[in-house]
Amino acid sequence: PVTASVRRRMGETWSPRCPVALADLRYLTLSFRGFDGLAHTGELVVAASEAADVVSVFRALFAADFPIEEMRLPTTADLEAAPTGDGNNTAALLCRATTGGSGWSTHAYGLAIDVNPFHNPYQKGDVVLPELASSYLDRSWRRPGMIWPGSPAVREFARIGWSWGGSWSSLSDYQHFTATGR
């Protein structure tokens, strides 16, 4: 469960106005392979219904030596930061509206995970997020931490029934995996 201590560390990334109760979320600690090749421990908060499957995905990514730069709980400071791309945090729960919209994001329910967002940016028209990640829009130049069709991340999330934002037609969200298809 999400303990009082974890909840305090989450800051404003969750509040009672969010569409999911704390009781319906789970705090995970996960091993991941860093860009330095070493094992690290990260943290995610996800929907309780998806926790076991998410653990199995990150276990497989660790075994495949898929590098992840950072995996920590987002904080209030992250919410207030400019979208320049100075960070590369793999994260899940973040109670916010959809990008460019007003409805709840699947992140607000703990049903989406963004993996290495700098290496796997969001693009819709001229909008690129993180703003400094444009060089990673060229998906033919494969670099460590990038996600592409058939990559370990795409295969493992598909195994648990999640879809990948990199295969959408209206926009490309290469970092985004979701249990709901949006």
Side-chain angles (χ1 to χ4, degrees), residues 3-176:
T3 65
S5 169
V6 169
R7 169 64 193 100
R8 280 190 299 279
R9 291 177 42 229
M10 292 166 65
E12 295 175 19
T13 63
W14 183 89
S15 76
R17 71 173 182 77
C18 296
V20 63
L22 279 178
D24 296 325
L25 298 170
R26 291 296 175 268
Y27 170 72
L28 307 177
T29 56
L30 302 161
S31 295
F32 68 92
R33 186 75 57 201
F35 280 82
D36 59 5
L38 301 176
H40 299 271
T41 301
E43 308 170 282
L44 293 176
V45 173
V46 300
S49 61
E50 301 296 322
D53 283 342
V54 168
V55 169
S56 75
V57 165
F58 283 93
R59 183 177 292 127
L61 293 179
F62 183 86
D65 292 330
F66 178 82
I68 294 173
E69 185 169 343
E70 184 178 16
M71 185 189 304
R72 61 172 174 75
L73 297 178
T75 65
T76 302
D78 293 313
L79 290 174
E80 296 167 353
T84 57
D86 296 333
N88 198 23
N89 186 38
T90 294
L93 180 85
L94 188 60
C95 192
R96 64 170 178 80
T98 59
T99 302
S102 58
W104 289 114
S105 163
T106 51
H107 288 282
Y109 297 89
L111 295 172
I113 298 172
D114 288 343
V115 178
N116 289 336
F118 192 83
H119 295 90
N120 301 292
Y122 167 100
Q123 179 186 27
K124 183 173 184 180
D126 292 337
V127 175
V128 177
L129 299 172
E131 293 170 352
L132 299 177
S134 293
S135 67
Y136 284 93
L137 293 175
D138 179 358
R139 305 313 280 177
S140 66
W141 179 23
R142 292 186 179 167
R143 291 161 274 178
M146 289 178 66
I147 300 165
W148 62 87
S151 68
V154 171
R155 281 195 319 269
E156 289 303 319
F157 277 104
R159 177 180 55 78
I160 66 168
W162 286 38
S163 62
W164 177 47
S167 63
W168 296 343
S169 58
S170 62
L171 59 91
S172 296
D173 198 352
Y174 297 111
Q175 63 195 267
H176 189 76

